[in-house]
Short mmCIF file of all heavy atoms in Angstrom, two decimals:
data_model
loop_
_atom_site.label_atom_id
_atom_site.label_comp_id
_atom_site.label_asym_id
_atom_site.label_seq_id
_atom_site.Cartn_x
_atom_site.Cartn_y
_atom_site.Cartn_z
N MET E 1 11.75 -6.91 -19.68
CA MET E 1 10.82 -6.04 -18.99
C MET E 1 10.46 -6.61 -17.62
O MET E 1 10.34 -5.87 -16.65
CB MET E 1 9.57 -5.85 -19.86
CG MET E 1 8.60 -4.89 -19.31
SD MET E 1 9.28 -3.24 -19.36
CE MET E 1 7.90 -2.31 -18.85
N GLU E 2 10.29 -7.91 -17.54
CA GLU E 2 9.93 -8.55 -16.28
C GLU E 2 11.06 -8.41 -15.26
O GLU E 2 10.81 -8.21 -14.07
CB GLU E 2 9.62 -10.02 -16.51
CG GLU E 2 9.12 -10.74 -15.27
CD GLU E 2 8.73 -12.16 -15.57
OE1 GLU E 2 8.17 -12.40 -16.64
OE2 GLU E 2 9.00 -13.02 -14.73
N ASN E 3 12.31 -8.49 -15.73
CA ASN E 3 13.44 -8.34 -14.81
C ASN E 3 13.53 -6.93 -14.26
O ASN E 3 13.92 -6.74 -13.10
CB ASN E 3 14.75 -8.70 -15.52
CG ASN E 3 14.82 -10.18 -15.83
OD1 ASN E 3 14.19 -10.98 -15.15
ND2 ASN E 3 15.57 -10.53 -16.86
N ILE E 4 13.21 -5.94 -15.08
CA ILE E 4 13.25 -4.56 -14.62
C ILE E 4 12.20 -4.32 -13.54
O ILE E 4 12.48 -3.72 -12.51
CB ILE E 4 13.04 -3.59 -15.80
CG1 ILE E 4 14.21 -3.70 -16.78
CG2 ILE E 4 12.89 -2.17 -15.32
CD1 ILE E 4 13.98 -2.96 -18.08
N ILE E 5 10.99 -4.80 -13.77
CA ILE E 5 9.91 -4.64 -12.79
C ILE E 5 10.26 -5.38 -11.50
O ILE E 5 10.07 -4.85 -10.40
CB ILE E 5 8.58 -5.13 -13.38
CG1 ILE E 5 8.15 -4.22 -14.53
CG2 ILE E 5 7.50 -5.18 -12.30
CD1 ILE E 5 6.96 -4.71 -15.29
N HIS E 6 10.80 -6.58 -11.62
CA HIS E 6 11.18 -7.35 -10.43
C HIS E 6 12.29 -6.65 -9.65
O HIS E 6 12.27 -6.63 -8.41
CB HIS E 6 11.61 -8.76 -10.82
CG HIS E 6 11.93 -9.62 -9.65
ND1 HIS E 6 13.18 -9.68 -9.09
CD2 HIS E 6 11.14 -10.43 -8.90
CE1 HIS E 6 13.16 -10.50 -8.07
NE2 HIS E 6 11.92 -10.97 -7.94
N SER E 7 13.24 -6.06 -10.35
CA SER E 7 14.33 -5.39 -9.65
C SER E 7 13.86 -4.11 -8.96
O SER E 7 14.41 -3.72 -7.93
CB SER E 7 15.48 -5.09 -10.61
OG SER E 7 15.07 -4.14 -11.58
N ILE E 8 12.86 -3.45 -9.50
CA ILE E 8 12.32 -2.25 -8.85
C ILE E 8 11.48 -2.63 -7.64
O ILE E 8 11.61 -2.05 -6.56
CB ILE E 8 11.48 -1.42 -9.85
CG1 ILE E 8 12.39 -0.80 -10.92
CG2 ILE E 8 10.69 -0.34 -9.13
CD1 ILE E 8 11.64 -0.15 -12.05
N ILE E 9 10.61 -3.61 -7.79
CA ILE E 9 9.70 -3.99 -6.72
C ILE E 9 10.43 -4.65 -5.56
O ILE E 9 10.01 -4.53 -4.41
CB ILE E 9 8.58 -4.91 -7.26
CG1 ILE E 9 7.67 -4.10 -8.18
CG2 ILE E 9 7.77 -5.55 -6.16
CD1 ILE E 9 6.61 -4.90 -8.85
N SER E 10 11.54 -5.30 -5.80
CA SER E 10 12.22 -6.04 -4.74
C SER E 10 13.28 -5.21 -4.02
O SER E 10 14.21 -5.77 -3.46
CB SER E 10 12.85 -7.30 -5.32
OG SER E 10 13.85 -6.95 -6.25
N THR E 11 13.14 -3.90 -3.99
CA THR E 11 14.10 -3.06 -3.27
C THR E 11 13.48 -2.54 -1.98
O THR E 11 12.26 -2.47 -1.83
CB THR E 11 14.53 -1.86 -4.13
OG1 THR E 11 13.39 -1.06 -4.42
CG2 THR E 11 15.19 -2.30 -5.42
N TYR E 12 14.36 -2.17 -1.06
CA TYR E 12 13.89 -1.58 0.19
C TYR E 12 13.23 -0.23 -0.06
O TYR E 12 12.32 0.16 0.66
CB TYR E 12 15.06 -1.39 1.17
CG TYR E 12 15.53 -2.68 1.79
CD1 TYR E 12 16.77 -3.22 1.47
CD2 TYR E 12 14.75 -3.35 2.71
CE1 TYR E 12 17.21 -4.39 2.05
CE2 TYR E 12 15.17 -4.53 3.30
CZ TYR E 12 16.41 -5.03 2.96
OH TYR E 12 16.84 -6.19 3.54
N TYR E 13 13.72 0.49 -1.06
CA TYR E 13 13.14 1.81 -1.36
C TYR E 13 11.66 1.69 -1.74
O TYR E 13 10.84 2.49 -1.31
CB TYR E 13 13.90 2.50 -2.50
CG TYR E 13 15.33 2.79 -2.16
CD1 TYR E 13 16.36 2.23 -2.88
CD2 TYR E 13 15.65 3.64 -1.10
CE1 TYR E 13 17.67 2.50 -2.57
CE2 TYR E 13 16.96 3.93 -0.79
CZ TYR E 13 17.97 3.36 -1.52
OH TYR E 13 19.27 3.62 -1.20
N PHE E 14 11.34 0.71 -2.57
CA PHE E 14 9.95 0.51 -2.97
C PHE E 14 9.11 0.09 -1.77
O PHE E 14 7.96 0.53 -1.62
CB PHE E 14 9.85 -0.53 -4.08
CG PHE E 14 8.43 -0.76 -4.54
CD1 PHE E 14 7.82 0.14 -5.39
CD2 PHE E 14 7.72 -1.86 -4.11
CE1 PHE E 14 6.51 -0.06 -5.81
CE2 PHE E 14 6.41 -2.06 -4.51
CZ PHE E 14 5.81 -1.16 -5.37
N ALA E 15 9.66 -0.75 -0.90
CA ALA E 15 8.93 -1.20 0.28
C ALA E 15 8.62 -0.02 1.21
O ALA E 15 7.50 0.13 1.69
CB ALA E 15 9.72 -2.27 1.02
N ILE E 16 9.61 0.83 1.43
CA ILE E 16 9.40 2.00 2.29
C ILE E 16 8.41 2.95 1.63
O ILE E 16 7.54 3.51 2.30
CB ILE E 16 10.75 2.68 2.59
CG1 ILE E 16 11.58 1.76 3.48
CG2 ILE E 16 10.55 4.03 3.26
CD1 ILE E 16 13.01 2.21 3.66
N PHE E 17 8.53 3.12 0.32
CA PHE E 17 7.58 3.97 -0.40
C PHE E 17 6.16 3.43 -0.28
O PHE E 17 5.21 4.18 -0.07
CB PHE E 17 7.98 4.09 -1.87
CG PHE E 17 6.95 4.80 -2.71
CD1 PHE E 17 6.82 6.16 -2.64
CD2 PHE E 17 6.11 4.07 -3.55
CE1 PHE E 17 5.86 6.82 -3.40
CE2 PHE E 17 5.15 4.70 -4.31
CZ PHE E 17 5.03 6.08 -4.23
N ALA E 18 5.99 2.11 -0.40
CA ALA E 18 4.66 1.51 -0.30
C ALA E 18 4.07 1.72 1.09
O ALA E 18 2.88 2.03 1.22
CB ALA E 18 4.73 0.02 -0.63
N ILE E 19 4.88 1.59 2.12
CA ILE E 19 4.39 1.78 3.48
C ILE E 19 4.01 3.24 3.71
O ILE E 19 2.93 3.54 4.25
CB ILE E 19 5.43 1.31 4.51
CG1 ILE E 19 5.59 -0.21 4.43
CG2 ILE E 19 5.03 1.73 5.92
CD1 ILE E 19 6.75 -0.74 5.24
N VAL E 20 4.88 4.16 3.30
CA VAL E 20 4.59 5.59 3.49
C VAL E 20 3.37 6.00 2.69
O VAL E 20 2.49 6.71 3.18
CB VAL E 20 5.82 6.44 3.12
CG1 VAL E 20 5.48 7.92 3.06
CG2 VAL E 20 6.94 6.19 4.11
N PHE E 21 3.26 5.54 1.45
CA PHE E 21 2.10 5.85 0.63
C PHE E 21 0.83 5.28 1.23
O PHE E 21 -0.23 5.94 1.24
CB PHE E 21 2.28 5.32 -0.80
CG PHE E 21 1.10 5.57 -1.67
CD1 PHE E 21 0.85 6.83 -2.19
CD2 PHE E 21 0.21 4.54 -1.98
CE1 PHE E 21 -0.26 7.07 -2.99
CE2 PHE E 21 -0.90 4.77 -2.77
CZ PHE E 21 -1.13 6.03 -3.28
N GLY E 22 0.89 4.06 1.75
CA GLY E 22 -0.28 3.45 2.36
C GLY E 22 -0.76 4.20 3.58
O GLY E 22 -1.95 4.42 3.77
N VAL E 23 0.18 4.62 4.43
CA VAL E 23 -0.18 5.38 5.63
C VAL E 23 -0.75 6.74 5.24
O VAL E 23 -1.77 7.19 5.79
CB VAL E 23 1.03 5.53 6.57
CG1 VAL E 23 0.76 6.53 7.68
CG2 VAL E 23 1.42 4.19 7.15
N TRP E 24 -0.12 7.40 4.26
CA TRP E 24 -0.62 8.70 3.82
C TRP E 24 -2.01 8.59 3.22
O TRP E 24 -2.90 9.38 3.51
CB TRP E 24 0.34 9.30 2.79
CG TRP E 24 -0.20 10.54 2.16
CD1 TRP E 24 -0.27 11.78 2.72
CD2 TRP E 24 -0.79 10.63 0.86
NE1 TRP E 24 -0.86 12.65 1.83
CE2 TRP E 24 -1.19 11.97 0.68
CE3 TRP E 24 -1.00 9.72 -0.16
CZ2 TRP E 24 -1.79 12.41 -0.49
CZ3 TRP E 24 -1.61 10.15 -1.32
CH2 TRP E 24 -1.99 11.49 -1.47
N LYS E 25 -2.22 7.57 2.36
CA LYS E 25 -3.52 7.40 1.71
C LYS E 25 -4.60 7.02 2.71
O LYS E 25 -5.75 7.47 2.61
CB LYS E 25 -3.42 6.34 0.60
CG LYS E 25 -4.63 6.27 -0.28
CD LYS E 25 -4.84 7.57 -0.99
CE LYS E 25 -6.05 7.50 -1.88
NZ LYS E 25 -6.45 8.80 -2.38
N LEU E 26 -4.26 6.21 3.71
CA LEU E 26 -5.22 5.85 4.75
C LEU E 26 -5.63 7.09 5.54
O LEU E 26 -6.82 7.32 5.79
CB LEU E 26 -4.61 4.80 5.68
CG LEU E 26 -5.50 4.28 6.79
CD1 LEU E 26 -6.68 3.53 6.21
CD2 LEU E 26 -4.70 3.37 7.71
N ASN E 27 -4.66 7.90 5.92
CA ASN E 27 -4.94 9.13 6.64
C ASN E 27 -5.79 10.09 5.80
O ASN E 27 -6.76 10.67 6.28
CB ASN E 27 -3.63 9.80 7.06
CG ASN E 27 -3.85 10.97 7.96
OD1 ASN E 27 -4.86 11.06 8.64
ND2 ASN E 27 -2.88 11.87 7.98
N ASP E 28 -5.45 10.23 4.53
CA ASP E 28 -6.19 11.11 3.63
C ASP E 28 -7.61 10.61 3.41
O ASP E 28 -8.55 11.40 3.39
CB ASP E 28 -5.45 11.20 2.29
CG ASP E 28 -6.13 12.13 1.33
OD1 ASP E 28 -6.35 13.30 1.70
OD2 ASP E 28 -6.46 11.68 0.20
N THR E 29 -7.78 9.31 3.26
CA THR E 29 -9.11 8.75 3.02
C THR E 29 -10.00 8.93 4.24
O THR E 29 -11.17 9.29 4.11
CB THR E 29 -9.00 7.25 2.67
OG1 THR E 29 -8.19 7.11 1.51
CG2 THR E 29 -10.36 6.66 2.41
N ILE E 30 -9.46 8.70 5.41
CA ILE E 30 -10.27 8.82 6.62
C ILE E 30 -10.65 10.28 6.88
O ILE E 30 -11.79 10.57 7.27
CB ILE E 30 -9.53 8.21 7.82
CG1 ILE E 30 -9.47 6.69 7.66
CG2 ILE E 30 -10.20 8.57 9.13
CD1 ILE E 30 -8.61 5.99 8.68
N LYS E 31 -9.74 11.21 6.65
CA LYS E 31 -10.02 12.61 6.95
C LYS E 31 -10.92 13.29 5.91
O LYS E 31 -11.75 14.11 6.27
CB LYS E 31 -8.71 13.40 7.02
CG LYS E 31 -7.96 13.21 8.29
CD LYS E 31 -6.77 14.12 8.33
CE LYS E 31 -6.04 13.99 9.66
NZ LYS E 31 -4.87 14.87 9.72
N ASN E 32 -10.76 12.98 4.64
CA ASN E 32 -11.38 13.78 3.58
C ASN E 32 -12.54 13.11 2.86
O ASN E 32 -12.96 13.60 1.82
CB ASN E 32 -10.33 14.18 2.55
CG ASN E 32 -9.27 15.06 3.17
OD1 ASN E 32 -9.53 15.82 4.08
ND2 ASN E 32 -8.06 14.93 2.67
N THR E 33 -13.06 12.02 3.36
CA THR E 33 -14.15 11.35 2.66
C THR E 33 -15.43 11.47 3.47
O THR E 33 -15.45 11.21 4.67
CB THR E 33 -13.82 9.85 2.45
OG1 THR E 33 -12.61 9.76 1.73
CG2 THR E 33 -14.91 9.17 1.65
N THR E 34 -16.48 11.87 2.78
CA THR E 34 -17.79 11.90 3.44
C THR E 34 -18.42 10.53 3.31
O THR E 34 -18.34 9.88 2.27
CB THR E 34 -18.70 12.95 2.79
OG1 THR E 34 -18.86 12.64 1.41
CG2 THR E 34 -18.10 14.33 2.94
N ARG E 35 -19.05 10.10 4.36
CA ARG E 35 -19.68 8.79 4.37
C ARG E 35 -21.17 8.96 4.11
O ARG E 35 -21.92 9.34 5.00
CB ARG E 35 -19.42 8.11 5.70
CG ARG E 35 -17.97 7.72 5.88
CD ARG E 35 -17.69 7.28 7.31
NE ARG E 35 -16.30 6.93 7.47
CZ ARG E 35 -15.35 7.78 7.78
NH1 ARG E 35 -15.64 9.05 7.92
NH2 ARG E 35 -14.10 7.38 7.92
N ASP E 36 -21.57 8.65 2.91
CA ASP E 36 -22.98 8.74 2.53
C ASP E 36 -23.58 7.35 2.66
O ASP E 36 -23.17 6.41 1.98
CB ASP E 36 -23.11 9.26 1.10
CG ASP E 36 -24.54 9.57 0.73
OD1 ASP E 36 -25.42 9.47 1.61
OD2 ASP E 36 -24.77 9.92 -0.44
N ILE E 37 -24.55 7.20 3.50
CA ILE E 37 -25.13 5.89 3.77
C ILE E 37 -25.93 5.38 2.58
O ILE E 37 -26.07 4.19 2.38
CB ILE E 37 -26.01 5.96 5.03
CG1 ILE E 37 -25.13 6.29 6.23
CG2 ILE E 37 -26.76 4.68 5.29
CD1 ILE E 37 -25.87 6.53 7.51
N ASN E 38 -26.40 6.27 1.71
CA ASN E 38 -27.24 5.86 0.59
C ASN E 38 -26.45 5.28 -0.58
O ASN E 38 -27.04 4.73 -1.49
CB ASN E 38 -28.07 7.05 0.11
CG ASN E 38 -29.04 7.51 1.17
OD1 ASN E 38 -29.51 6.71 1.98
ND2 ASN E 38 -29.31 8.79 1.21
N LEU E 39 -25.13 5.42 -0.58
CA LEU E 39 -24.34 4.87 -1.68
C LEU E 39 -24.24 3.36 -1.55
O LEU E 39 -24.06 2.82 -0.47
CB LEU E 39 -22.94 5.48 -1.68
CG LEU E 39 -22.85 6.97 -2.01
CD1 LEU E 39 -21.42 7.44 -1.86
CD2 LEU E 39 -23.35 7.23 -3.41
N SER E 40 -24.31 2.68 -2.69
CA SER E 40 -24.28 1.22 -2.63
C SER E 40 -22.86 0.67 -2.57
O SER E 40 -22.63 -0.39 -2.00
CB SER E 40 -24.99 0.64 -3.86
OG SER E 40 -24.33 1.06 -5.04
N LEU E 41 -21.86 1.36 -3.14
CA LEU E 41 -20.51 0.81 -3.19
C LEU E 41 -19.57 1.37 -2.13
O LEU E 41 -18.50 0.83 -1.93
CB LEU E 41 -19.90 1.06 -4.58
CG LEU E 41 -20.57 0.34 -5.72
CD1 LEU E 41 -19.93 0.71 -7.03
CD2 LEU E 41 -20.52 -1.16 -5.52
N GLN E 42 -19.94 2.45 -1.46
CA GLN E 42 -19.11 3.07 -0.44
C GLN E 42 -17.68 3.29 -0.94
O GLN E 42 -16.78 2.50 -0.66
CB GLN E 42 -19.09 2.23 0.84
CG GLN E 42 -20.43 2.12 1.52
CD GLN E 42 -20.93 3.46 2.03
OE1 GLN E 42 -20.15 4.33 2.35
NE2 GLN E 42 -22.22 3.63 2.07
N PRO E 43 -17.44 4.34 -1.71
CA PRO E 43 -16.14 4.55 -2.34
C PRO E 43 -14.98 4.72 -1.36
O PRO E 43 -13.84 4.46 -1.71
CB PRO E 43 -16.35 5.82 -3.16
CG PRO E 43 -17.53 6.48 -2.58
CD PRO E 43 -18.39 5.40 -2.00
N PHE E 44 -15.24 5.13 -0.12
CA PHE E 44 -14.14 5.29 0.80
C PHE E 44 -13.55 3.95 1.23
O PHE E 44 -12.41 3.88 1.66
CB PHE E 44 -14.55 6.11 2.03
CG PHE E 44 -15.47 5.40 2.98
CD1 PHE E 44 -14.96 4.76 4.08
CD2 PHE E 44 -16.84 5.41 2.78
CE1 PHE E 44 -15.80 4.11 4.98
CE2 PHE E 44 -17.68 4.78 3.67
CZ PHE E 44 -17.16 4.13 4.77
N MET E 45 -14.29 2.87 1.10
CA MET E 45 -13.78 1.55 1.47
C MET E 45 -12.65 1.10 0.53
O MET E 45 -11.72 0.45 0.97
CB MET E 45 -14.90 0.51 1.46
CG MET E 45 -15.86 0.64 2.62
SD MET E 45 -15.04 0.51 4.22
CE MET E 45 -14.57 -1.20 4.19
N SER E 46 -12.72 1.47 -0.74
CA SER E 46 -11.65 1.07 -1.66
C SER E 46 -10.35 1.78 -1.31
O SER E 46 -9.27 1.21 -1.44
CB SER E 46 -12.04 1.37 -3.10
OG SER E 46 -12.24 2.76 -3.28
N GLY E 47 -10.43 3.02 -0.83
CA GLY E 47 -9.23 3.73 -0.40
C GLY E 47 -8.62 3.10 0.83
O GLY E 47 -7.40 2.98 0.95
N ILE E 48 -9.47 2.68 1.77
CA ILE E 48 -8.98 2.05 2.99
C ILE E 48 -8.35 0.70 2.68
O ILE E 48 -7.25 0.38 3.15
CB ILE E 48 -10.11 1.92 4.02
CG1 ILE E 48 -10.51 3.31 4.53
CG2 ILE E 48 -9.71 1.03 5.18
CD1 ILE E 48 -11.71 3.33 5.42
N VAL E 49 -9.01 -0.09 1.87
CA VAL E 49 -8.49 -1.41 1.54
C VAL E 49 -7.20 -1.30 0.72
O VAL E 49 -6.25 -2.04 0.96
CB VAL E 49 -9.56 -2.24 0.78
CG1 VAL E 49 -8.98 -3.51 0.23
CG2 VAL E 49 -10.73 -2.53 1.69
N GLY E 50 -7.15 -0.37 -0.21
CA GLY E 50 -5.93 -0.17 -1.00
C GLY E 50 -4.76 0.29 -0.17
O GLY E 50 -3.62 -0.17 -0.37
N SER E 51 -5.01 1.17 0.78
CA SER E 51 -3.91 1.65 1.62
C SER E 51 -3.42 0.56 2.57
O SER E 51 -2.21 0.42 2.78
CB SER E 51 -4.34 2.88 2.40
OG SER E 51 -5.41 2.58 3.24
N ILE E 52 -4.31 -0.23 3.11
CA ILE E 52 -3.89 -1.34 3.96
C ILE E 52 -3.12 -2.37 3.14
O ILE E 52 -2.12 -2.93 3.60
CB ILE E 52 -5.11 -1.98 4.66
CG1 ILE E 52 -5.67 -1.01 5.69
CG2 ILE E 52 -4.75 -3.31 5.32
CD1 ILE E 52 -6.96 -1.43 6.33
N GLY E 53 -3.54 -2.59 1.89
CA GLY E 53 -2.81 -3.49 1.01
C GLY E 53 -1.41 -2.99 0.70
O GLY E 53 -0.46 -3.78 0.65
N ALA E 54 -1.25 -1.69 0.51
CA ALA E 54 0.08 -1.13 0.25
C ALA E 54 0.98 -1.28 1.47
O ALA E 54 2.18 -1.59 1.33
CB ALA E 54 -0.03 0.34 -0.14
N ILE E 55 0.43 -1.09 2.65
CA ILE E 55 1.22 -1.25 3.88
C ILE E 55 1.65 -2.71 4.04
O ILE E 55 2.82 -2.99 4.34
CB ILE E 55 0.41 -0.78 5.10
CG1 ILE E 55 0.18 0.73 5.03
CG2 ILE E 55 1.11 -1.15 6.41
CD1 ILE E 55 -0.83 1.26 6.03
N ILE E 56 0.75 -3.63 3.80
CA ILE E 56 1.08 -5.05 3.91
C ILE E 56 2.11 -5.44 2.86
O ILE E 56 3.04 -6.21 3.14
CB ILE E 56 -0.20 -5.90 3.81
CG1 ILE E 56 -1.06 -5.69 5.05
CG2 ILE E 56 0.13 -7.38 3.64
CD1 ILE E 56 -2.43 -6.33 4.97
N LEU E 57 1.99 -4.91 1.64
CA LEU E 57 2.97 -5.20 0.59
C LEU E 57 4.36 -4.75 1.01
O LEU E 57 5.33 -5.48 0.85
CB LEU E 57 2.56 -4.51 -0.71
CG LEU E 57 3.56 -4.61 -1.86
CD1 LEU E 57 3.66 -6.04 -2.35
CD2 LEU E 57 3.17 -3.67 -2.98
N GLY E 58 4.46 -3.53 1.55
CA GLY E 58 5.76 -3.03 1.99
C GLY E 58 6.35 -3.87 3.10
O GLY E 58 7.55 -4.18 3.09
N ILE E 59 5.54 -4.26 4.06
CA ILE E 59 6.02 -5.09 5.16
C ILE E 59 6.47 -6.46 4.65
O ILE E 59 7.51 -6.98 5.09
CB ILE E 59 4.93 -5.22 6.24
CG1 ILE E 59 4.72 -3.87 6.93
CG2 ILE E 59 5.28 -6.29 7.27
CD1 ILE E 59 3.52 -3.82 7.85
N MET E 60 5.71 -7.04 3.73
CA MET E 60 6.08 -8.35 3.19
C MET E 60 7.38 -8.29 2.39
O MET E 60 8.20 -9.22 2.46
CB MET E 60 4.95 -8.91 2.31
CG MET E 60 3.75 -9.37 3.10
SD MET E 60 4.12 -10.64 4.32
CE MET E 60 4.70 -11.95 3.29
N ILE E 61 7.60 -7.23 1.64
CA ILE E 61 8.84 -7.11 0.87
C ILE E 61 10.03 -7.01 1.83
O ILE E 61 11.05 -7.68 1.64
CB ILE E 61 8.78 -5.89 -0.07
CG1 ILE E 61 7.81 -6.16 -1.21
CG2 ILE E 61 10.16 -5.57 -0.63
CD1 ILE E 61 7.54 -4.96 -2.09
N ILE E 62 9.89 -6.19 2.88
CA ILE E 62 10.99 -6.07 3.85
C ILE E 62 11.23 -7.41 4.55
O ILE E 62 12.38 -7.84 4.72
CB ILE E 62 10.69 -4.95 4.87
CG1 ILE E 62 10.75 -3.60 4.17
CG2 ILE E 62 11.66 -4.99 6.04
CD1 ILE E 62 10.31 -2.43 5.02
N TYR E 63 10.17 -8.11 4.93
CA TYR E 63 10.31 -9.42 5.59
C TYR E 63 11.01 -10.42 4.67
O TYR E 63 11.93 -11.13 5.10
CB TYR E 63 8.93 -9.93 6.00
CG TYR E 63 8.94 -11.34 6.55
CD1 TYR E 63 9.40 -11.58 7.83
CD2 TYR E 63 8.50 -12.40 5.78
CE1 TYR E 63 9.41 -12.86 8.33
CE2 TYR E 63 8.51 -13.69 6.27
CZ TYR E 63 8.98 -13.91 7.55
OH TYR E 63 9.00 -15.19 8.04
N LEU E 64 10.60 -10.49 3.42
CA LEU E 64 11.21 -11.44 2.50
C LEU E 64 12.66 -11.07 2.17
O LEU E 64 13.49 -11.95 1.97
CB LEU E 64 10.39 -11.53 1.21
CG LEU E 64 9.02 -12.20 1.37
CD1 LEU E 64 8.24 -12.11 0.07
CD2 LEU E 64 9.18 -13.65 1.78
N LYS E 65 12.98 -9.77 2.13
CA LYS E 65 14.36 -9.36 1.91
C LYS E 65 15.24 -9.76 3.09
O LYS E 65 16.38 -10.20 2.91
CB LYS E 65 14.45 -7.85 1.68
CG LYS E 65 13.86 -7.36 0.39
CD LYS E 65 14.72 -7.69 -0.77
CE LYS E 65 15.86 -6.70 -0.85
NZ LYS E 65 16.64 -6.87 -2.08
N ILE E 66 14.73 -9.61 4.30
CA ILE E 66 15.50 -9.98 5.49
C ILE E 66 15.70 -11.49 5.54
O ILE E 66 16.80 -11.96 5.88
CB ILE E 66 14.80 -9.47 6.77
CG1 ILE E 66 14.91 -7.95 6.83
CG2 ILE E 66 15.41 -10.09 8.03
CD1 ILE E 66 14.09 -7.31 7.94
N LYS E 67 14.68 -12.25 5.19
CA LYS E 67 14.79 -13.71 5.18
C LYS E 67 15.65 -14.24 4.04
O LYS E 67 16.07 -15.38 4.06
CB LYS E 67 13.40 -14.35 5.08
CG LYS E 67 12.60 -14.24 6.32
CD LYS E 67 13.23 -15.02 7.42
CE LYS E 67 12.22 -15.86 8.11
NZ LYS E 67 12.78 -16.63 9.20
N GLY E 68 15.90 -13.40 3.02
CA GLY E 68 16.72 -13.82 1.89
C GLY E 68 15.97 -14.56 0.81
O GLY E 68 16.57 -15.23 -0.02
N LYS E 69 14.67 -14.47 0.78
CA LYS E 69 13.88 -15.17 -0.21
C LYS E 69 13.48 -14.28 -1.39
O LYS E 69 12.81 -14.73 -2.30
CB LYS E 69 12.62 -15.74 0.43
CG LYS E 69 12.92 -16.79 1.45
CD LYS E 69 11.68 -17.42 2.00
CE LYS E 69 12.04 -18.49 3.00
NZ LYS E 69 10.87 -19.19 3.51
N LEU E 70 13.90 -13.03 -1.37
CA LEU E 70 13.54 -12.12 -2.46
C LEU E 70 14.78 -11.44 -2.97
O LEU E 70 15.62 -10.99 -2.28
CB LEU E 70 12.52 -11.08 -1.97
CG LEU E 70 11.93 -10.16 -3.02
CD1 LEU E 70 11.10 -10.96 -4.03
CD2 LEU E 70 11.09 -9.11 -2.38
#
């Protein structure tokens, strides 16, 4: 099972998907979320952080594939 997950995650297709999904989710979160100052957890921040994380993950996978370490 671990080999299957590793082989899926270490492909260029997954990296491109992660980048596209991150950009789409960031755009969607910024456009469609109301910012209520009275909320203690600010739910739109988790969408922004998650989308930036997906973009960074995709970039790191492509970088490591080019370097030959993945």
Side-chain angles (χ1 to χ4, degrees):
M1 185 68 173
E2 185 176 322
N3 291 334
I4 295 170
I5 293 172
H6 184 271
S7 66
I8 291 171
I9 291 176
S10 64
T11 61
Y12 286 111
Y13 297 118
F14 181 78
I16 292 170
F17 172 76
I19 292 171
V20 169
F21 178 76
V23 169
W24 173 75
K25 190 61 180 169
L26 182 65
N27 188 24
D28 182 55
T29 301
I30 290 172
K31 283 185 177 180
N32 297 328
T33 303
T34 59
R35 291 170 180 87
D36 188 6
I37 296 174
N38 296 329
L39 293 176
S40 61
L41 295 177
Q42 295 296 331
F44 71 96
M45 287 302 291
S46 62
I48 291 173
V49 171
S51 61
I52 291 173
I55 294 169
I56 291 172
L57 174 68
I59 292 170
M60 288 302 298
I61 289 173
I62 291 173
Y63 174 76
L64 290 174
K65 291 286 281 187
I66 290 172
K67 288 295 227 180
K69 295 184 179 184
L70 187 65

